[in-house]
Amino acid sequence: MEARIRARVNLALTFFALLFFVAGSSPPRQFVISNAERRIDLSSHIINVHLTLKVENAGTRPASEVVLALTPTEVDHLAMVDASAIKGKRKKTTSLRLEVKPTELPDAPPIDTKYFTIYLANPLNSGESTTLEVLYVFTHFLEPFPAEIAQSESQLVFYHDTALILSPYHIKQQTTFIKTPSTKVESFIRMEPTNRVGTEIKYGPYEDRPPYSISPIHVHFENNSPFAVVEELVQEIEISHWGNIQVTEHYKLIHAGARHKGVFSRVDYQSRQSSNGASSFRYVRIVYLLARLPPRVHSVYYRGEIGNISSSHLRTDSLKSELQIEPRYPLFGGWKATFVIGYGLPLQDFLFESSDDKRYLNFTFGCPLIGMVVDKLTIKVVLPEGSTDPSPVVPFPVEHHLEAKYSSLDVVGRTVVVLEKKNFVPMHNSHFQVYYSFKPIFMLAESLMLASAFFMLFVACVAYIHIDLSVRK
Amino acid sequence: MSNSSTSDLLKPFKLKTKQQELLISILCLVYILAFITRLFSVLRYESMIHEFDPYFNYRTTLYLTQHGFYDFWNWFDYESWYPLGRIVGGTLYPGLMVTAALIYRLLHFLRFAVHIREVCVLTAPFFASNTTLVAYFFGKEIWDSGAGLVAAILIAVCPGYISRSVAGSYDNEGVAIFALLFTFYLFVKAVNKGSLAWGLASAFGYFYMVSAWGGYIFIINLIPLYVLVLLITGRYSMRLYVAYNCMYILGMLLAMQIRFVGFQHVQSGEHMAAMGVFFLMQVFYFLDWVKHMLSDTKLFQEFLSITVTCAVAAGGIALGVGVASGYISPWTGRFYSLLDPTYAKDHIPIIASVSEHQPTAWSSFMFDFHILLFLFPAGLYFCFKRLSDATIFIVMYGLTSMYFAGVMVRLILVATPAVCLISAIAVSATVKNLTVLLRSKNKVAQIGSTKGTSSAKASSKASLDQSQPFQKNGAMALLFGAFYLLSRYATHCTWVTSEAYSSPSIVLAARGAHGNRVIFDDYREAYFWLRQNTPPDAKVMSWWDYGYQITAMGNRTVIVDNNTWNNTHIATVGRAMSSYEDEAYEIIRSLDVDYVLVVFGGVTGYSSDDINKFLWMVRIGGGVFPVIKEPDYLVNGEYRVDKGAAPKMLNCLMYKLSYYRFGEMMTEYGKPPGYDRARGVEIGNKDIKLEHLEEAFTTSNWIVRIYKVKPPNNRW
């Protein structure tokens, strides 16, 4: 509740501040948005906002930097922003990814609005126009209300936004579509023209809105999808040049939806499930999770802090492996579960040699569990003992540092490249590389150590037998 | 030159080396066999800790490795026996934990990155392997190396020992049996050699045993008894004097370093026998000296009678004064219950309630010893035939431990090494005699080709038995018979190990309708739920059996646990469970309990649940609080849960918590709802309403049910 009030206050403050500053300030506004269409998808707890902007250069000089504006609450929950330019007409469209960077606008109104700049591939000449597609992904943005529900109640959530798109530019025409997961909408704020058909609420079209105009709205609707959030995921990728990559993933899973209140009744839970099966009613809980693992995965295990969890199934084919796991108990709102998934992978699928005699690991940066928000993702790449100058290459900004780890038979320790990313969503999934140099001679070190140890042991045995006899005589 | 000299040097040892090689390879195989036969549970289930007590040991070992020895030694545990707490460092035998931690440190020093759990799981098999080695040396000491080998093989697979030393059974007994046998071995060796060094070694063995298990009481009483028997039978010698004094004095001083034992060696009645024998020993020595000095036998006889009378009188008076003044504590109930099988049933219900404390049935002797049960008397016969200090010891060990094994099921474990050793003597002596017979015949046929083993003794034996007809055939038949029996033994042991002793009892496995394996992992489901979804300071009340598991796996505070040191506290829980809900609520509130956990097998047919244990709760509760009366829960002396059950039974807290909403549940086709599969009846109270508690969690097979205690109602 408190968070909601705060969000509203923020919005209101922003609103007033904006109104106040609109007249005075002059952001780089050679652009005018002739048409904006926004589609907000609220079907899960990961909110996708697709924004299509038709941008026109109304200034005199060519310009290539288009600025997007977001409220501070939005920025707090923003997992990613992605922009692309659309070329061509109708069916023959091609999209070109553009660079987006957070920026500060010096002459912008001194309020909390945060900005992102899209750098166009080619400067837009005066009078020309182009179409941009922007994708925002927000997490933890839906707020359960009521915040606590009983076992068989459905989950209602609030979504806050403005009916008008916040922008530093003048918008000639704009429309917003909000898609809810079901037709059950408790309430929503109207701003004419507004109309609701099925699972979609349409705001607009609104004509000729000045820059920084907003109009707060909220939608209160039913969302019975469990809010599966991984609070922390530590993924450890251990490379062995003997032919194996061992991946260990430590999960801290939570159901971040409306908190479970009162009784958990096994009778109700079992009887509803068995009699109705997969029909209309569904408890808002996490039962199954699906992990998509690389093909040719082997020795998969799934265990908790206190031992093996036997409820998992692995399906493998030549393209992918799917691991279906079930936590020890169904997760109702607010319930947590920690577990570990581990598996081995063949080395040749992921480790390659680069042209400059270095080796590199090419692996997916992401969470194998499908549809998960990961609040904090840590990837630790454990390089073999004796490897030097590691350098990670990741397609988006991450924090990284080095550590040392002692695994079996290690003397000097292994170099660990630690990559950290906050607020990770499945859309981030992409490949990353870690380059390092390694001399194959180090591969033999451990086996030589073992061999010499056994040799010593046998020598000692032989010596013991002989000494034993000579003493006795 | 040098070459030839070394070969000359080696020549006389060649045969010896071959035998030795054979011996060593057999011992190695036995060592490995003892280890791997205990791994069934790891292969069937997983590398996990079993049962109840091992969870406490695991938790303390974890603490030891994480916080170091001093913190461990001074550890006050707030998470158990709430609100009393427990001084863990001062109330446990640290031997097991320290051993596991040392192994863990050593492995890490050698750069093996193992988890402490793996070390704990494999500690018991590792020590079982070591026990086989000790059994070999012990057998060699009392009989010959053949008997030693047989003893090693027998003890490696003996179910009586395996039951307490499978992988995962991380309990004191796992290392204690090793320590027990090792101490005995060293002491016998010391008596045989009469050397201070072996006496010292046995003192250290005793110290390790004291640090590992409360069963050291057996050692500190058996050894004096043995010494006494030697004294009475006129086998007193300087060797015995040196061995016993060294072992007793040093062993006692070392044992005092264990906090849990402390000054008991000089203050408790159970240890007084050792002290008495110690003084008696001095009297003997003194008399020996006087005898040496006095030439007149008559005078000595008089002196002897006077001295012995005085010594016994002085000892008796000292003991009497000690007991009367309270300096020497009388025997504890646990000790009495060992001597008298009926004692616990009448006086200490908490001991009697544990299934492993019941008197042993014949079937379990058969189950755990198999052919050893028949070989044991045969071995005793051989021992008596060749009496020596060492065989007297093993005979005494065998006889006393067999008595204790008859008193309590779990003490079969203590008897196992003795039974194995004595049986090994029987097997070895028989087989040896038979082979000697066979070989002597052969010798007649092919003169001079055999050498070494058939000695003068063998030939004399052969000449003795020459007259009997069909001797060779008979010997062959007997030999085959012996091998058949031994192979049956091996089969039986493997079968028992795999079927009976390798289940972790945390995870239950059953056969499904289609022959597939169904796993009931409800315990861990519930404990993990507690761990993840309750406040970290939540207090959980359950019957004491589950205390260790809740603290170790659920990481939550418990009211009572398997330590059972405070009977009143346990009785309070028993009283709460057997009261009506509103009375129980008062008790629960006074204990500051947040969750109540019960184990219920009505859905799965799991029979060792709380309803079946309930009468013990009533008895233990009633033992302290007379408001709880056992007859209130019985109908005509019969314990039932169906419609005919006693009204108090149908409405007590335990009944309500177990059967809450169970009446709506269909458990079996063709049976009414609320049919209890564990007891095979339809429950008597289907309409259970809870007022002060609410269901917080029930596992998928209903085995564990957790209830949350509601806060008291607002008064306004």
Side-chain angles (χ1 to χ4, degrees), chain A residues 253 260 262-268 270 303-310 328-330 334-339 406-411 449-450 464-466 468-470 472-473, chain B residues 10 13 16-17 20-21 24 46-47 55 110-114 117 140 519 521 524-525 527-529 531-533 552-553 660-662 664-665 694-702:
Chain A
L253 184 71
H260 177 72
V263 177
F264 166 70
S265 169
R266 184 60 77 168
V267 177
D268 291 344
Q270 277 171 341
R303 50 184 308 150
E305 251 165 305
I306 57 170
N308 198 34
I309 308 171
S310 47
R328 284 191 191 272
Y329 41 84
W335 288 12
K336 293 175 191 169
T338 57
F339 55 88
Y406 290 90
S407 180
S408 280
L409 296 176
D410 284 350
V411 181
M449 256 166 58
L450 271 186
Y464 172 74
I465 285 173
H466 285 267
D468 189 39
L469 279 172
S470 59
R472 227 174 247 185
K473 198 65 193 178
Chain B
L10 283 177
F13 304 130
K16 205 84 176 143
T17 324
Q20 206 128 24
E21 267 170 19
I24 287 174
E46 56 182 287
S47 159
Y55 270 96
L110 293 175
R111 302 280 176 221
F112 288 101
V114 289
R117 191 190 57 246
K140 197 177 161 189
I519 284 196
D521 203 359
R524 288 193 294 184
E525 182 181 340
Y527 297 146
F528 203 60
W529 184 85
R531 189 186 185 104
Q532 299 276 334
N533 299 312
M553 285 193 274
Y660 178 63
R661 296 198 72 182
F662 181 67
E664 304 164 32
M665 177 89 179
E694 63 182 19
E695 188 179 1
F697 187 71
T698 297
T699 57
S700 47
N701 299 303
W702 290 55

Side-chain angles (χ1 to χ4, degrees), chain B residues 562-585:
Chain B
N562 310 44
N563 186 237
T564 63
W565 65 272
N566 188 327
N567 192 39
T568 314
H569 217 48
I570 292 181
T572 312
V573 172
R575 182 185 175 185
M577 291 297 192
S578 32
S579 305
Y580 292 123
E581 194 191 347
D582 42 354
E583 294 161 11
Y585 185 64

Side-chain angles (χ1 to χ4, degrees), chain A residues 237 239 361 379-383 415-419 432 434:
Chain A
I237 305 164
I239 303 168
L361 171 85
I379 295 188
K380 296 183 174 179
V381 181
V382 184
L383 302 175
T415 315
V416 184
V417 181
V418 185
L419 308 168
F432 75 102
V434 175

Side-chain angles (χ1 to χ4, degrees), chain A residues 124-145:
Chain A
L124 210 57
N125 288 324
S126 169
E128 275 183 345
S129 69
T130 183
T131 310
L132 298 176
E133 271 200 353
V134 182
L135 168 69
Y136 299 113
V137 180
F138 298 106
T139 58
H140 300 288
F141 207 49
L142 295 179
E143 181 213 336
F145 188 82

Side-chain angles (χ1 to χ4, degrees), chain A residues 134-439:
Chain A
V134 182
L135 168 69
Y136 299 113
V137 180
F138 298 106
T139 58
H140 300 288
F141 207 49
L142 295 179
E143 181 213 336
F145 188 82
E148 287 190 336
I149 55 171
Q151 182 180 357
S152 54
E153 282 173 357
S154 51
Q155 177 175 261
L156 298 174
V157 292
F158 262 120
Y159 173 73
H160 301 281
D161 203 350
T162 88
L164 301 171
I165 300 165
L166 179 65
S167 172
Y169 307 116
H170 185 89
I171 303 176
K172 285 184 180 161
Q173 190 185 39
Q174 59 176 306
T175 330
T176 295
F177 299 92
I178 297 180
K179 190 170 173 295
T180 54
S182 69
T183 51
K184 290 182 187 155
V185 176
E186 288 283 303
S187 67
F188 61 99
I189 287 187
R190 288 176 170 274
M191 182 188 169
E192 293 310 329
T194 304
N195 98 50
R196 182 180 150 216
V197 181
T199 61
E200 200 169 68
I201 302 168
K202 182 181 174 190
Y203 285 93
Y206 306 111
E207 313 268 339
D208 281 324
R209 297 290 165 158
Y212 297 113
S213 45
I214 55 170
S215 150
I217 54 161
H218 71 241
V219 186
H220 191 201
F221 62 100
E222 183 184 283
N223 187 340
N224 278 335
S225 71
F227 287 11
V229 173
V230 178
E231 284 185 319
E232 194 176 352
L233 167 60
V234 179
Q235 189 182 42
E236 194 177 271
I237 305 164
E238 188 162 342
I239 303 168
S240 159
H241 278 239
W242 288 94
N244 190 40
I245 290 182
Q246 184 63 40
V247 185
T248 318
E249 291 160 357
H250 299 261
Y251 289 90
K252 267 189 199 165
L253 184 71
I254 185 171
H255 185 310
R259 295 182 60 81
H260 177 72
K261 175 179 73 179
V263 177
F264 166 70
S265 169
R266 184 60 77 168
V267 177
D268 291 344
Y269 186 71
Q270 277 171 341
S271 62
R272 291 274 192 126
Q273 259 191 328
S274 53
S275 59
N276 293 17
S279 67
S280 60
F281 190 82
R282 219 165 59 110
Y283 289 110
V284 189
R285 87 289 187 224
I286 306 169
V287 182
Y288 294 106
L289 301 165
L290 196 64
R292 192 157 289 156
L293 306 176
R296 305 216 283 149
V297 66
H298 64 85
S299 15
V300 181
Y301 63 83
Y302 166 48
R303 50 184 308 150
E305 251 165 305
I306 57 170
N308 198 34
I309 308 171
S310 47
S311 45
S312 60
H313 299 281
L314 179 71
R315 285 181 294 270
T316 51
D317 60 40
S318 58
L319 291 174
K320 63 177 191 305
S321 313
E322 274 185 345
L323 177 71
Q324 185 187 304
I325 59 177
E326 202 179 324
R328 284 191 191 272
Y329 41 84
L331 265 74
F332 282 86
W335 288 12
K336 293 175 191 169
T338 57
F339 55 88
V340 181
I341 299 176
Y343 47 93
L345 294 168
L347 185 72
Q348 64 268 28
D349 293 5
F350 300 96
L351 195 77
F352 308 96
E353 217 159 328
S354 71
S355 51
D356 55 344
D357 220 29
K358 276 189 145 189
R359 284 144 214 274
Y360 68 95
L361 171 85
N362 187 27
F363 208 81
T364 313
F365 195 104
C367 166
L369 290 185
I370 291 172
M372 283 291 156
V373 171
V374 184
D375 289 349
K376 187 182 174 200
L377 172 64
T378 310
I379 295 188
K380 296 183 174 179
V381 181
V382 184
L383 302 175
E385 204 177 16
S387 36
T388 45
D389 32 272
S391 58
V393 178
V394 190
F396 40 83
V398 291
E399 286 175 34
H400 78 96
H401 62 271
L402 294 181
E403 273 178 11
K405 188 200 168 188
Y406 290 90
S407 180
S408 280
L409 296 176
D410 284 350
V411 181
V412 293
R414 303 178 180 213
T415 315
V416 184
V417 181
V418 185
L419 308 168
E420 277 174 13
K421 171 97 182 89
K422 293 227 166 80
N423 213 348
F424 181 92
V425 287
M427 296 78 183
H428 277 121
N429 273 352
S430 60
H431 286 276
F432 75 102
Q433 291 83 29
V434 175
Y435 289 84
Y436 63 97
S437 29
F438 179 76
K439 291 203 177 65

